[in-house]
């Protein structure tokens, strides 16, 4: 049976089901990361001393990662724009770039984490490292999740473009919203952990 | 057309649907039909309620007869829990923590929201299904996985979680393996609720029938809608907290472990610098809205049944809706009234005390409106109505006894005593659970095409009503005497508790006898599926859209998609042919 | 639907590029300022302002929030309100005469 407003927007709300659904989900994610930021604030204000981010963490590497993620946001929105312009080939290029850049982010994080572990900087060492690993770790899980969804739309899921291009475009837009959110979280995470 | 008397409730397929026949697994196990999913949630939830109830009955043995050996069952439970049939304190704690967890997260919410919400909501808004049927199925299985995880936690070395359903740190940080399993279980359960909330909100806004404006929604729909927002925005902080506690337990972090902690004479070697109260903030940020998640669907159910059985519109519908929305909003800024005794200063205590007092207002508006709705009605006392009407004074007692707890000063002697236990059980047990029973009797005919037995229903009601009060009323007195909660021997070791200890025996016998009165309900539920009185589409002569569908509804719900032409409670309209005009009638 | 939005999309793409450049610049800016090791309250304020600007650009233009529907604004408004409550109240509670220091 057909669920209405899956592809077409409902006239009075002006929205499709998927668009509302993804924004509601993002609202819950705001509260999830919000709780971790609240924890950071409480722990830091209650601590006798707190190291400045750049004394422990690798700022140049993280700056590079910030640029990588922001760029991937641009390629993501360009992927959707390509679909809106009916250019499926261009979509594949941009979506591929988005997934690739996500992979670069993960590789950099791998090097960051392993270097920390090699020098004995584990989450158990102090609360700065604890909140650092927890915040970036949870963020990293979201990067992986976003990449998985994007890869799905790049490969098996792209079949939908042939049968229902509008529905496919909407789904890419919605997964793009998730990807931008992941970038948004990093925009706040980066200065909080690395620069302050 | 619909196939009445189908093998299992709500699973008949419309004969006119020209789609391929799904196999057994896709029709009954991995179904995306909201009715099947609703019944899965409801039956699983009811089973967990029974299990959680059984855990409490065990606890009540040691509360009534501390140190006594439990005949037969004591030996079965083994030496690690009941050596020689006598209860170890650790086992009591395990029972207590799991009773609370199971009742709240595996029993009430899955039944109230997953069960009733899933089954009734799409029907009541004239929708063919939820906005995201596959996501709906995922929600159920995530819940199921969470439930299995929680059950498995009993089997790990050291037993299940033992640090209260509240899992306060630092105790829970250093507790046995069962606590880790509890945390993973919570992650599954929270995921289920979040996905469900997204579905409910989107469906209510987008898939409602033509003519069904927000102010024509049945109150039940509003209740589920607000509840979904509470789940969506309040659960994630607990998920974050669960991750952090898992980090403490598995990665050696000190989020919640303060410096200099000494356990059993040994100083801990962790880094320290953590704040145990951080856990409390994050936990109660969820858990306070959670209690409104427990009560709102119940109020929704009671409202439907009262309107139907008084043959009158609800009194003050608009005020009730406004109160619901205001209540939902306020529920996010009262949480630290659970933390009055943690050492906070007077400014913040006053803030939270004030918001707590304010939040009682919409609660009272809703309760009062429901009571006034009875006035001048042609009241029909069927089983759903008996439970719905009983809800009113029971919730009243629960709500009123919450007031001294919400006042900082009065909370000082009452905090963490049996008074608190009595307060919240009155709200949840003869409150919410009675409403849920009412809902089962009320919507059973829609799901199965048959009514449950009235005679058995009345027995279930009278026995449960009396026993609920026998169990919980004495607890107010025990609490006022100063007896703390979570004492495995019910306060036996304290001199000031001696005058009230006999009340523990009364409560225990009330609980054990209440178990007997659930037997007619369980029997009735299963027997009526095949042998209950057959009914048509609208046996209660109700006005809301779900009664336009066949009983049970086919895949896709409606033979003719209904349109809403009027408000939800057009009963006893002057000049009308019958004493009700359904929303869907042209 | 796709064809009559083609002109709109061209305009959007130009905006995406300019937002991208702005985000790059602001990233360099926030890192550069951090090298000055400002006193902590000032450092936090400046970093937060820059982050909010960057975040708003991503939200408004990449996520199309600037032209979204009212319903989404309401949901997000509610969320931001509770987000602020979650961030502020615990730390306020602990700075108000708390006599237990962990």
């Amino acid at each position: 049976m057909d669920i209405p407003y899956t592809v077409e927007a409902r006239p009075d709300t002006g929205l499709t089901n998927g668009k509302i659904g993804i924004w509601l989900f993002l609202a819950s994610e705001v509260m999830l990361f919000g709780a971790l930021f609240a924890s950071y604030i409480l722990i830091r204000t209650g601590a006798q001393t707190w190291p400045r981010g750049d004394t422990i963490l690798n700022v140049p590497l993280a700056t590079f990662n910030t640029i990588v993620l922001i760029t991937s946001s641009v390629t993501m929105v360009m992927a959707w724009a390509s679909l809106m312009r009916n250019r499926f080939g261009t979509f594949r290029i941009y979506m591929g770039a988005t997934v690739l850049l996500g992979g670069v982010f993960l590789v950099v994080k791998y090097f960051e984490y392993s270097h920390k572990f090699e020098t004995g900087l584990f989450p158990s060492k102090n609360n700065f490292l604890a909140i650092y690993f927890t915040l970036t770790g949870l963020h990293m899980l979201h990067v992986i999740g976003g990449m998985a969804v994007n890869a799905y739309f790049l490969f098996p899921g792209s079949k939908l473009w042939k049968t229902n291009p509008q529905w496919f475009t909407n789904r890419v837009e919605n997964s793009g919203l998730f990807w931008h959110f992941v970038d948004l979280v990093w925009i706040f995470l980066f200065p909080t952990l690395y620069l302050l | 057309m619909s196939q009445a008397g189908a093998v299992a409730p709500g699973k008949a397929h419309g004969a006119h649907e020209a789609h391929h026949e799904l196999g057994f697994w896709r029709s009954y196990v991995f179904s995306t039909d909201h009715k099947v999913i609703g019944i899965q949630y409801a039956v699983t939830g009811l089973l967990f309620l029974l299990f959680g109830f059984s855990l409490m009955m065990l606890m009540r043995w040691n509360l009534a007869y501390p140190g006594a050996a439990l005949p037969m069952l004591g030996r079965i439970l083994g030496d690690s829990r009941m050596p020689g049939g006598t209860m170890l304190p650790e086992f009591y704690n395990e029972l207590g923590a799991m009773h609370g967890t199971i009742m709240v997260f595996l029993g009430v919410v899955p039944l109230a929201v997953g069960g009733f919400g899933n089954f009734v909501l799409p029907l009541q808004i004239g929708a063919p299904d939820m906005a995201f049927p596959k996501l709906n199925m995922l929600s159920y299985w995530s819940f199921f996985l969470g439930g299995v995880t929680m059950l498995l936690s009993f089997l790990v070395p050291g037993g299940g979680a033992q640090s209260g359903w509240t899992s306060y740190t630092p105790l829970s940080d250093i507790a046995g393996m069962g606590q880790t399993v509890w945390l993973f279980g919570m992650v599954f359960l929270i995921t289920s609720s979040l996905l469900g909330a997204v579905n409910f909100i989107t469906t209510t806004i987008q898939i409602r029938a033509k003519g069904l404006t927000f102010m024509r929604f049945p109150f039940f729909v509003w209740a589920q809608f607000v509840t979904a927002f509470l789940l969506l925005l309040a659960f994630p902080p607990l998920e974050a907290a669960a991750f952090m506690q898992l980090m403490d337990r598995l990665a050696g972090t000190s989020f919640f472990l303060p410096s200099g902690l000494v356990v059993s004479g040994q100083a801990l070697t962790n880094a320290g610098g953590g704040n145990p109260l951080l856990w409390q903030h994050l936990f109660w940020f969820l858990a306070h809205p959670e209690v409104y998640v427990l009560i709102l669907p119940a109020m929704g159910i009671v409202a439907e049944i009262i309107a139907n059985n008084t043959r009158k519109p609800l009194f003050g519908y608009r005020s009730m809706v406004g109160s619901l929305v205001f209540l939902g909003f306020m529920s996010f800024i009262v949480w630290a009234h659970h933390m009055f005794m943690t050492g906070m200063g007077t400014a913040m205590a006053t803030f939270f005390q004030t918001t707590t007092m304010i939040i009682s207002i919409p609660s009272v508006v809703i309760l009062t409106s429901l009571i006034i709705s009875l006035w001048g009605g042609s009241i029909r006392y069927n089983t759903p109505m008996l439970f719905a009407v009983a809800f009113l004074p029971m919730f009243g007692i629960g709500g009123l006894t919450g007031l001294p707890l919400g006042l900082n000063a009065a909370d000082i002697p009452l905090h963490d005593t049996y008074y608190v236990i009595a307060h919240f059980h009155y709200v949840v047990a003869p409150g919410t659970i009675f409403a849920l029973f009412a809902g089962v009797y009320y919507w059973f005919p829609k799901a199965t095409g048959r009514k449950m037995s009235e005679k058995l229903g009345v027995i279930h009601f009278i026995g449960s009503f009396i026993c609920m009060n026998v169990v919980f009323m004495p607890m107010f007195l025990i609490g006022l005497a100063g007896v703390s909660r979570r004492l495995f021997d019910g306060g036996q070791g304290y001199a000031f508790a001696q005058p009230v200890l006999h009340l523990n025996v009364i409560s225990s016998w009330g609980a054990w006898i209440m178990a007997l009165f659930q037997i007619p309900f369980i029997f009735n539920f299963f027997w009526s599926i095949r042998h209950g009185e057959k009914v048509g589409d609208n046996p209660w002569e109700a006005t809301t859209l779900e009664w336009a569908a066949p009983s049970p509804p086919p895949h896709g719900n409606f033979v003719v998609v209904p349109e809403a032409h009027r408000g939800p409670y057009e009963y006893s309209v002057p000049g009308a042919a019958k004493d009700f005009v359904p929303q869907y009638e042209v | 639907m796709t064809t009559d939005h083609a002109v709109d999309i061209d305009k959007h793409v130009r905006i995406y590029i300019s937002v991208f450049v702005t985000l790059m610049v602001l990233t360099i800016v926030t890192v550069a300022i951090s090298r000055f090791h400002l006193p902590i309250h000032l450092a936090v304020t400046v970093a937060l302002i820059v982050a909010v600007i960057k975040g708003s650009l991503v939200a408004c233009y990449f996520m199309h929030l600037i032209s979204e529907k009212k319903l989404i604004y309401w949901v997000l408004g509610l969320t931001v309100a509770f987000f602020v409550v979650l961030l502020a109240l615990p730390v306020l509670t602990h700075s108000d005469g708390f006599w237990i220091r962990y």
Side-chain angles (χ1 to χ4, degrees), chain B residues 390-430:
Chain B
F391 169 89
L392 302 174
M394 297 295 99
F395 172 68
I397 292 173
L400 286 173
T401 53
L403 290 172
L405 294 171
L407 291 167
N408 188 16
D411 188 48
I412 295 175
L414 297 175
H415 160 79
D416 259 0
T417 62
Y418 263 85
Y419 185 94
V420 178
I421 299 187
H423 151 70
F424 69 70
H425 277 95
Y426 257 96
V427 188
V428 172

Side-chain angles (χ1 to χ4, degrees), chain B residues 302-317 320 368-380 385 442 540-544 567-574 578-581:
Chain B
V302 168
E304 297 306 309
I305 293 172
I306 284 182
N308 174 248
N309 286 298
T310 52
R311 316 308 291 166
K312 267 178 84 222
L314 276 185
F315 178 87
Y317 172 84
M320 286 176 75
T368 315
S369 301
L370 290 172
I371 293 173
I372 297 179
S373 298
L374 298 170
W375 180 267
S378 302
I379 301 184
R380 308 187 306 195
M385 188 59 165
Y442 186 64
W540 303 116
E541 296 184 305
T543 51
T544 44
Y569 304 118
E570 297 297 303
Y571 289 102
S572 301
V573 179
K578 305 168 294 193
D579 73 341
F580 71 107
V581 186

Side-chain angles (χ1 to χ4, degrees), chain B residues 10 13 45 96 103 108 112 158 177 236 238 255 278 312 335 337 368 380 401 408 438 456 553 566:
Chain B
H13 290 229
M103 292 306 236
V108 174
M177 206 194 297
L238 181 60
F255 284 120
L278 174 60
K312 267 178 84 222
W335 81 84
H337 65 228
T368 315
R380 308 187 306 195
T401 53
N408 188 16
L456 291 176
R566 58 189 61 81

Side-chain angles (χ1 to χ4, degrees), chain B residues 148-167:
Chain B
V148 167
T149 307
M150 288 295 186
L151 288 177
L152 285 177
S153 75
F154 281 106
L155 305 176
V156 303
Q162 288 163 40
S163 313
W165 81 287
T166 50
S167 287

Side-chain angles (χ1 to χ4, degrees), chain B residues 110-295:
Chain B
L111 177 57
V113 181
F116 285 110
N118 259 309
F119 190 91
V120 177
L121 184 89
L123 287 167
Q124 249 186 14
I125 62 172
D129 206 307
M130 287 283 186
F132 309 115
K134 289 202 207 86
L135 200 71
N136 207 11
M137 180 186 69
L138 244 153
S139 298
Y140 172 75
W141 287 104
S142 192
F143 153 66
F144 186 83
L145 267 174
V148 167
T149 307
M150 288 295 186
L151 288 177
L152 285 177
S153 75
F154 281 106
L155 305 176
V156 303
Q162 288 163 40
S163 313
W165 81 287
T166 50
S167 287
Y168 275 10
T169 56
L171 181 67
S172 54
D173 263 6
I174 59 175
M177 206 194 297
Q179 179 66 22
T180 302
V181 180
W182 186 94
L183 291 164
F184 280 113
M186 286 308 297
V187 172
F188 282 123
L189 296 175
I190 294 174
T191 304
S192 165
S193 284
L194 289 178
L195 298 179
V198 169
N199 227 336
F200 277 47
I201 295 172
T202 309
T203 304
T204 307
I205 294 173
Q206 297 276 101
I207 324 287
R208 56 202 155 99
K210 191 148 165 269
L212 196 65
T213 57
F214 271 73
M215 293 314 276
R216 281 181 175 174
F217 277 160
F219 188 73
F220 178 82
V221 173
W222 271 109
Q224 292 282 353
F225 185 65
V226 174
T227 301
F229 270 103
L230 299 185
L231 290 170
L232 185 78
L233 298 175
F235 249 132
L238 181 60
E239 188 151 35
F243 283 137
M244 289 162 69
Q245 195 180 111
L246 279 168
M247 288 290 287
D248 269 11
R249 293 176 56 80
L250 302 176
T253 54
S254 302
F255 284 120
F256 309 119
L257 292 170
S259 307
L261 198 62
V262 175
V263 178
S264 304
Q266 297 267 61
L268 287 189
T269 52
N270 62 304
N275 189 344
L277 291 179
L278 174 60
W279 169 266
Q280 291 195 27
H281 280 294
L282 295 175
F283 178 84
W284 286 114
F285 187 87
L286 172 267
H288 193 85
E290 177 71 15
V291 311
Y292 294 101
V293 168
L294 297 177
I295 198 65

Side-chain angles (χ1 to χ4, degrees), chain A residues 19 34 52 54 84-85 184, chain C residues 2 10 37 40 55 68 87:
Chain A
K19 179 68 82 76
R52 209 177 52 233
D54 61 353
M84 292 290 279
R85 286 161 146 176
L184 197 61
Chain C
T2 41
D10 285 339
H37 301 318
I40 187 66
E68 251 311 343
L87 253 58

